[in-house]
Amino acid sequence: MAKSPLILLFSTLLLLSSPLPTLSSDPDPLQDFCIADLQSPISITGFPCKPTSNVTSNDFFFDGLAKEGDTNSPFGSSVLQGNVLAFPALNTLGLSMNRVDIAPGGLNPPHSHPRATETGVVIQGKLLVGLISTSNVFYAKNLTAGEMFVIPRGLVHFQKNIGEEKALIFTAFNSHLPGAVIVSLNLFGSRPSVPTDVLTKAFQVDQSVVDQIKSKFG
Ligand code: GLV
Ligand code: MN
């Protein structure tokens, strides 16, 4: 028997208001491409498109991940970002990539991406790749060249070079601007600073410990 229009309307409304299916990545693009006009004063989700008449072949190519990053930093690592801000042709396409170089003993410190799931492939070296679930379960594995990993959206993760040679990873995200919250920097290096008594309580340590960590990231 055919459903009445009223029942159809109700079931459609029910479907639309149900939490499933959810959108777990950037929305689908509305046109072939939308090269970001990063100078535009207009503020929307994503960036306005530059006029198609101004688009050239060069817009679709990016060499910002070609060269090794400088790992001469306190963490001994470098993350070069190939996101919409660096490569405007990614605008609205829902993806981006990073190049991660890590010196022997170096660490890409615990961080999370609020807007994307991450996957990565090891190109060179030997790494410990770890992630922590929202139930505080730690998952980790040693990886070498050709091996992949995945970090579900928002989960804290890291990569540590446990080999003798430098390590190289390329990572990919299902967002044109995944964002990165580096846990230590976020809590101890924010501006203005998170009140020390919040941190002493949160970490159950003395003020001297918080002051010491703040001095490293301030
Ligand atoms: C690695 O974790 C990255 O964010 O590129
Ligand atoms: Mn990451």
Coordinates of all heavy atoms in Angstrom, one line a residue, residues 79-80 97-100 108 111 113 118 149 151 157-159 169-173 180, ligand 1:
V79 N 57.4 19.8 11.2 CA 56.1 19.4 10.5 C 55.9 20.5 9.5 O 55.6 21.7 9.9 CB 54.9 19.3 11.5 CG1 53.7 19.0 10.7 CG2 55.2 18.2 12.5
L80 N 56.0 20.2 8.2 CA 55.7 21.2 7.2 C 54.2 20.9 6.8 O 53.9 19.7 6.5 CB 56.6 21.0 6.0 CG 58.1 21.2 6.2 CD1 58.9 21.0 5.0 CD2 58.3 22.7 6.7
M97 N 47.8 17.5 3.4 CA 48.9 16.6 3.8 C 50.0 17.4 4.6 O 50.1 18.6 4.5 CB 49.6 16.1 2.5 CG 48.7 15.1 1.7 SD 49.6 14.4 0.4 CE 50.5 13.1 1.3
N98 N 50.8 16.7 5.3 CA 52.0 17.2 6.0 C 53.2 16.4 5.7 O 53.1 15.2 5.3 CB 51.8 17.1 7.6 CG 50.9 18.2 8.1 OD1 50.5 19.1 7.4 ND2 50.6 18.0 9.4
R99 N 54.4 17.0 5.8 CA 55.6 16.3 5.8 C 56.2 16.4 7.2 O 56.4 17.5 7.7 CB 56.6 16.9 4.8 CG 58.0 16.3 4.8 CD 59.0 17.1 4.0 NE 60.3 16.4 4.2 CZ 61.1 16.0 3.2 NH1 60.7 16.2 2.0 NH2 62.2 15.4 3.5
V100 N 56.5 15.2 7.7 CA 57.1 15.2 9.1 C 58.5 14.6 9.1 O 58.7 13.4 8.7 CB 56.2 14.3 10.1 CG1 56.7 14.4 11.5 CG2 54.7 14.8 10.0
N108 N 57.7 14.0 17.4 CA 56.6 14.9 17.0 C 55.7 14.8 18.2 O 55.0 13.8 18.4 CB 56.0 14.4 15.7 CG 54.9 15.4 15.3 OD1 54.8 16.5 15.7 ND2 54.0 14.9 14.4
H111 N 49.8 15.5 20.2 CA 48.9 16.6 19.7 C 47.7 15.9 19.2 O 47.6 14.7 19.0 CB 49.7 17.4 18.6 CG 50.0 16.6 17.4 ND1 51.1 15.7 17.3 CD2 49.4 16.4 16.2 CE1 51.1 15.1 16.2 NE2 50.1 15.5 15.4
H113 N 44.2 16.7 16.2 CA 43.6 17.5 15.1 C 42.1 17.6 15.3 O 41.4 16.6 15.1 CB 44.0 16.9 13.8 CG 45.5 16.6 13.6 ND1 46.3 17.7 13.4 CD2 46.2 15.5 13.7 CE1 47.6 17.2 13.3 NE2 47.5 15.9 13.5
E118 N 43.6 11.5 10.7 CA 44.9 11.5 10.0 C 45.3 10.1 9.6 O 45.1 9.1 10.4 CB 46.0 12.1 11.0 CG 47.4 11.9 10.6 CD 48.4 12.4 11.6 OE1 48.0 13.4 12.4 OE2 49.5 11.9 11.7
F149 N 49.7 4.2 9.3 CA 48.9 4.2 10.6 C 47.7 5.1 10.3 O 47.6 5.9 9.3 CB 49.8 4.8 11.7 CG 50.3 6.2 11.4 CD1 49.6 7.3 11.8 CD2 51.6 6.3 10.9 CE1 50.1 8.6 11.5 CE2 52.1 7.6 10.6 CZ 51.4 8.7 11.0
I151 N 45.0 7.8 12.7 CA 44.7 8.4 14.0 C 43.2 9.0 13.8 O 43.0 10.0 13.1 CB 45.6 9.6 14.3 CG1 47.1 9.2 14.0 CG2 45.4 10.1 15.7 CD1 47.7 8.2 15.0
H157 N 48.0 11.9 19.8 CA 49.0 11.0 19.2 C 50.4 11.6 19.1 O 50.5 12.8 19.2 CB 48.5 10.5 17.8 CG 48.3 11.7 16.8 ND1 47.3 12.5 16.9 CD2 49.1 12.1 15.8 CE1 47.4 13.4 15.9 NE2 48.5 13.2 15.2
F158 N 51.4 10.7 18.8 CA 52.7 11.2 18.6 C 53.5 10.3 17.7 O 53.0 9.1 17.5 CB 53.4 11.4 20.0 CG 53.6 10.0 20.6 CD1 54.7 9.2 20.4 CD2 52.7 9.6 21.5 CE1 54.9 8.0 21.0 CE2 52.8 8.3 22.2 CZ 53.9 7.5 21.9
Q159 N 54.7 10.7 17.2 CA 55.6 9.8 16.5 C 57.0 10.1 17.1 O 57.4 11.2 17.2 CB 55.6 10.1 15.0 CG 54.3 9.8 14.3 CD 53.5 11.1 14.1 OE1 54.0 12.2 14.2 NE2 52.2 10.9 13.7
I169 N 58.0 10.9 7.4 CA 56.6 10.4 7.2 C 55.8 11.5 6.4 O 56.0 12.7 6.5 CB 55.9 10.4 8.6 CG1 56.7 9.8 9.7 CG2 54.5 9.7 8.5 CD1 56.1 10.0 11.1
F170 N 54.9 11.0 5.6 CA 53.9 11.9 4.9 C 52.6 11.5 5.5 O 52.2 10.3 5.6 CB 53.9 11.7 3.4 CG 55.0 12.5 2.8 CD1 56.2 11.9 2.5 CD2 54.9 13.9 2.5 CE1 57.3 12.6 1.9 CE2 55.9 14.6 2.0 CZ 57.1 14.0 1.6
T171 N 51.9 12.5 6.0 CA 50.5 12.3 6.6 C 49.5 13.0 5.7 O 49.7 14.0 5.0 CB 50.5 12.9 8.0 OG1 51.0 14.2 8.0 CG2 51.4 12.0 9.0
A172 N 48.3 12.5 5.8 CA 47.1 13.0 5.0 C 45.9 13.2 5.9 O 45.7 12.4 6.9 CB 46.8 12.1 3.9
F173 N 45.1 14.2 5.7 CA 44.0 14.5 6.5 C 42.7 14.7 5.7 O 42.8 15.2 4.6 CB 44.3 15.8 7.2 CG 45.5 15.8 8.0 CD1 46.8 16.1 7.4 CD2 45.5 15.5 9.4 CE1 47.9 16.1 8.2 CE2 46.7 15.5 10.1 CZ 47.9 15.7 9.5
A180 N 45.9 21.8 14.7 CA 46.7 21.0 15.6 C 46.8 21.6 16.9 O 47.1 22.8 17.1 CB 48.1 20.8 14.9
Ligands
GLV1 C1 51.5 13.9 12.4 O1 51.0 13.5 13.4 C2 51.0 15.1 11.7 O2 50.1 15.7 12.3 O3 51.4 15.4 10.5

